[in-house]
Amino acid sequence: QGKITYIGKNDGSQTDYDRVIDARGQHLYPGFIATNSTLGLVEIDAVRATDDEDEIGVLLPHIRSAIAYDAESKIVESMRPNGVLAGQVVPRGGSISGSSSVMQFDAWNWEDALIKADEGLHLNWPSPYSRGRWWRGEDPGLKANKNYSESVNELKDFFDQAKAYLQDPGKPKHLPYHAMQAVFDNQKTVYLHASDQIEIKDGIRFLKSYGLSKIVLVGGHESTSVVDFLKENNIAVILSRPHRLPESEDEDPKGTFRTAATLIEAGLVVSVDVSGRMERMYTRNLPFYAGSFAAYGVPREKAVEMITGAAAKILGVDDQMGTLAVGKDATLFVSVGDALDMRTNIVEHAFIQGRNLSLETHHTKLWKRYSEKYSQQ
């Protein structure tokens, strides 16, 4: 039934097998989980009809990414050969982007793909800084954002109005306000997208002022500067991928690679996301981002945990997946070597909820096609 029923040595009592895989010398992993991803929401950036990652408007808590998810996406199928078997599908844009859902990557449609629907609300905290537009002759350096207080007040007004609306059941249905019910009831996680110290502290204090306890920081570029604050407020962190340039002139170029080790040493629950340039295509590199953190101080097992158990815990699906345990989904794969190393991440077998997956994709088809072409020449 797609669940793990036994883990242990083959002592002879376990004999009723449909199939036996000899994986001696290889490695068995839980399926990797991509957090803060737009997989399945955009197929071709240049074709507007295939782009469903954003909606018109600014305050959109009622928008649901799940129903826009394309289970037939060729990008989604290209994740499986690297062991990325599930992910959090997140809308983008606006101050409140909408609700994300956790999906598995072997489905006929979005209903089949659902693991957990509408599990979190995504809030993009405004930046207290702005940069001059060099193409207009402005100084490109950082300066104070004059509209910061106004943007924060707009969010406060929305939260206040939503709370007032929910206390008066006689009012006509207002979808954005109605969608905030699960947030105020602490049934839904709020994912705070924030980067620098001011954004992080202001955003968390804002959410705490409304009695919200399920808060996850996403991005967290300067999170190492507020470690004690994050620990005090019990905030899990989804770090932006380490393969990116520094955001300030005097920043250590390798600082992004060391961030995870600092947070994990402090006892925080930490995962890694794939957001940014070419984020959907680059999601297949998720294990190598975790491997980069491992090269800069994160213990190897902890690096694996960042994209398995920790990710599942943050998303609230750790009772179903993220670790290999009896009763959990048989979402797992066998790799020839270390799955965090691109040289040895060679997936031999993969399963989602017990289903044996095909590892054939448009990438492997093209590779075989052109390998044959050049071998003939």
Side-chain angles (χ1 to χ4, degrees):
Q1 304 299 315
K3 300 290 183 181
I4 298 172
T5 58
Y6 176 78
I7 296 177
K9 292 183 178 181
N10 185 2
D11 57 6
S13 61
Q14 305 285 326
T15 57
D16 187 19
Y17 298 118
D18 294 324
R19 181 185 179 197
V20 175
I21 296 173
D22 186 350
R24 281 176 290 188
Q26 300 184 359
H27 300 257
L28 181 66
Y29 290 90
F32 293 153
I33 305 168
T35 54
N36 189 32
S37 166
T38 54
L39 276 172
L41 300 183
V42 183
E43 191 70 3
I44 303 171
D45 288 327
V47 179
R48 182 66 185 87
T50 72
D51 187 341
D52 284 326
E53 68 175 345
D54 192 5
E55 290 291 337
I56 296 171
V58 178
L59 301 165
L60 306 168
H62 56 299
I63 295 299
R64 305 175 62 219
S65 64
I67 59 175
Y69 177 76
D70 178 13
E72 299 285 349
S73 169
K74 286 191 174 182
I75 304 174
V76 170
E77 74 173 18
S78 71
M79 302 298 115
R80 301 196 293 249
N82 277 4
V84 183
L85 305 183
Q88 179 194 35
V89 178
V90 178
R92 296 279 190 251
S95 296
I96 299 178
S97 304
S99 292
S100 57
S101 293
V102 183
M103 321 292 273
Q104 51 86 5
F105 298 155
D106 175 49
W108 288 104
N109 49 51
W110 70 266
E111 292 96 337
D112 291 343
L114 271 177
I115 294 176
K116 188 174 183 180
D118 306 322
E119 46 77 36
L121 183 79
H122 291 261
L123 170 62
N124 301 300
W125 195 257
S127 174
Y129 306 108
S130 63
R131 288 188 180 274
R133 295 163 290 186
W134 59 267
W135 60 92
R136 289 194 175 184
E138 299 173 357
D139 178 7
L142 280 178
K143 61 187 74 173
N145 179 4
K146 298 177 182 178
N147 298 320
Y148 179 65
S149 295
E150 182 181 338
S151 299
V152 172
N153 286 333
E154 286 178 1
L155 284 170
K156 185 177 185 306
D157 288 344
F158 179 80
F159 271 67
D160 288 343
Q161 290 166 14
K163 202 158 192 176
Y165 165 85
L166 293 169
Q167 292 172 352
D168 184 0
K171 288 185 178 179
K173 194 164 187 177
H174 186 286
L175 288 177
Y177 293 161
H178 186 75
M180 294 294 291
Q181 181 73 68
V183 175
F184 290 129
D185 290 344
N186 279 311
Q187 295 175 0
K188 183 179 287 189
T189 301
V190 176
Y191 293 90
L192 174 68
H193 294 248
S195 181
D196 66 61
Q197 299 178 51
I198 295 176
E199 291 178 31
I200 294 170
K201 285 190 170 183
D202 285 357
I204 291 172
R205 285 169 178 157
F206 172 86
L207 294 171
K208 288 282 186 178
S209 71
Y210 286 92
L212 307 185
S213 58
K214 298 178 70 175
I215 304 170
V216 173
L217 173 64
V218 181
H221 186 70
E222 295 186 3
S223 54
T224 53
S225 302
V226 291
V227 171
D228 292 339
F229 178 81
L230 294 172
K231 192 172 181 179
E232 178 187 334
N233 287 280
N234 192 30
I235 306 296
V237 182
I238 298 175
L239 286 174
S240 293
R241 60 186 181 190
H243 294 212
R244 53 193 168 84
L245 294 173
E247 293 187 5
S248 58
E249 296 175 359
D250 59 351
E251 187 177 335
D252 180 355
K254 295 183 179 180
T256 57
F257 295 92
R258 298 189 178 101
T259 304
T262 302
L263 299 180
I264 289 173
E265 285 172 9
L268 297 176
V269 178
V270 182
S271 187
V272 55
D273 79 3
V274 292
S275 62
R277 181 174 174 269
M278 293 184 69
E279 61 183 79
R280 287 166 294 282
M281 288 66 82
Y282 283 2
T283 301
R284 61 177 175 265
N285 294 329
L286 176 67
F288 313 138
Y289 297 154
S292 295
F293 283 129
Y296 284 85
V298 176
R300 208 73 179 175
E301 292 296 322
K302 281 289 185 181
V304 173
E305 186 181 343
M306 289 178 71
I307 54 176
T308 54
K313 185 175 181 180
I314 288 171
L315 301 178
V317 294
D318 50 322
D319 60 332
Q320 301 177 59
M321 58 192 305
T323 55
L324 300 174
V326 173
K328 291 193 177 184
D329 289 350
T331 298
L332 46 90
F333 67 92
V334 177
S335 174
V336 168
D338 181 357
L340 303 191
D341 187 333
M342 64 178 68
R343 297 167 298 181
T344 56
N345 179 324
I346 303 171
V347 176
E348 293 279 285
H349 311 277
F351 301 84
I352 290 179
Q353 296 172 338
R355 298 184 300 278
N356 188 19
L357 300 178
S358 168
L359 298 176
E360 191 80 357
T361 72
H362 63 297
H363 289 167
T364 58
K365 290 175 184 174
L366 289 172
W367 168 62
K368 291 175 182 176
R369 175 182 174 184
Y370 286 100
S371 294
E372 292 174 2
K373 174 182 177 181
Y374 286 106
S375 65
Q376 291 170 1
Q377 289 182 345

